[in-house]
Amino acid sequence: QDSMAGPIIFDGRAAQISSGMHHAALLGTDNQVYHWGKNMAFDNDTGKPKDAELPELVVGLPPTEKILQIACGSHHTAILLEDGSVYAVGIASDEAVLLQDPVLLVPPGLIEFPLRQFAAHHDRTTIVDNQGQVIQAHLWKDESLREFASFTPSYVDTLLDEGESIEAIHRGWLHTIIVTKSSNQ
C-alpha cells in the first residue's frame, strides 16, 4: 500500500524481523514483539481493525517467558516462547477478524526442542521438532476449532523411507515442500 511505503522507525534494537503478505513484525532485544501493516491495529472508536503504519507493541503475552522466535504468515504473527508454547496475533481466518489479544496455539510441553523449523504461512503455523513431529496450528477465532486444529500433531514419518528424516518444511499458499535427509548421505 502506498500509504505505508517508506522507512519504519523503531526506537530500539531488533533481535529478529519477519514479514508476511500484509504486515511485518519485530522481536526487540527487550523481549517485546511489535507489529505493523494492514489491519494490525484496533480502532477503539469504531471497534474495527485499522492499518498500523508504525510498530505497535503486542500486549498480553506471558511476561515471564523469553520469546525465542517470531514468524509472519499473511495475516498473523506466530510467537514461540521458551517454554514451548506458541501464541499468535493477527487476523483469525474463520471470521476474518482481528484478535485483540494473543491466542495460545500450542501449549507448553508439546514441542521437543531444539526445533528444526518454525514458520508461519497464510493462516497456519508449522513446527517441526527435533523428533520429526510436525505440528500445524491454525488461527481460528472459534476456540473449539482452534483446539482441534492446533493440538493435533501430524506424523509424516510414514511417508519416509527407512533412514530418512525430516529436515525442514516449507509452506506456500496451497502447497507444502518437505525436505528430507537420508542417513546414507
Side-chain angles (χ1 to χ4, degrees):
Q1 258 186 340
D2 292 338
S3 67
M4 290 190 282
I8 296 293
I9 307 230
F10 174 70
D11 189 22
R13 296 187 60 110
Q16 184 190 355
I17 191 161
S18 181
S19 63
M21 185 174 6
H22 297 291
H23 76 291
L26 179 143
L27 171 59
T29 56
D30 59 355
N31 200 46
Q32 299 292 325
V33 176
Y34 304 83
H35 64 170
W36 63 98
K38 184 174 180 172
N39 293 327
M40 285 295 121
F42 193 77
D43 188 331
N44 289 323
D45 294 332
T46 65
K48 296 182 179 180
K50 66 178 182 177
D51 294 350
E53 295 183 17
L54 298 173
E56 295 204 359
L57 177 65
V58 173
V59 295
L61 293 168
T64 58
E65 289 298 325
K66 181 176 177 37
I67 298 170
L68 299 180
Q69 194 171 349
I70 59 172
C72 287
S74 57
H75 304 293
H76 77 289
T77 301
I79 303 162
L80 173 66
L81 302 182
E82 192 171 44
D83 69 356
S85 59
V86 177
Y87 285 81
V89 293
I91 304 289
S93 57
D94 57 336
E95 293 190 27
V97 295
L98 177 68
L99 301 175
Q100 288 183 294
D101 298 314
V103 170
L104 179 66
L105 289 182
V106 178
L110 186 62
I111 299 170
E112 294 286 330
F113 284 101
L115 297 184
R116 294 185 195 172
Q117 183 83 15
F118 179 74
H121 39 85
H122 185 49
D123 55 2
R124 290 175 171 85
T125 300
T126 300
I127 303 146
V128 182
D129 70 12
N130 71 353
Q131 300 298 315
Q133 176 180 217
V134 179
I135 300 164
Q136 196 163 161
H138 196 140
L139 180 57
W140 297 99
K141 181 181 180 192
D142 183 327
E143 288 186 40
S144 65
L145 292 174
R146 188 181 326 137
E147 287 179 4
F148 175 80
S150 299
F151 307 146
T152 305
S154 304
Y155 290 93
V156 295
D157 291 338
T158 57
L159 303 173
L160 302 175
D161 292 330
E162 189 171 331
E164 284 186 326
S165 62
I166 297 171
E167 285 300 300
I169 292 185
H170 300 280
R171 290 290 317 250
W173 186 263
L174 295 173
H175 65 281
T176 302
I177 297 172
I178 299 174
V179 179
T180 63
K181 179 180 179 182
S182 173
S183 60
N184 303 350
Q185 296 175 340

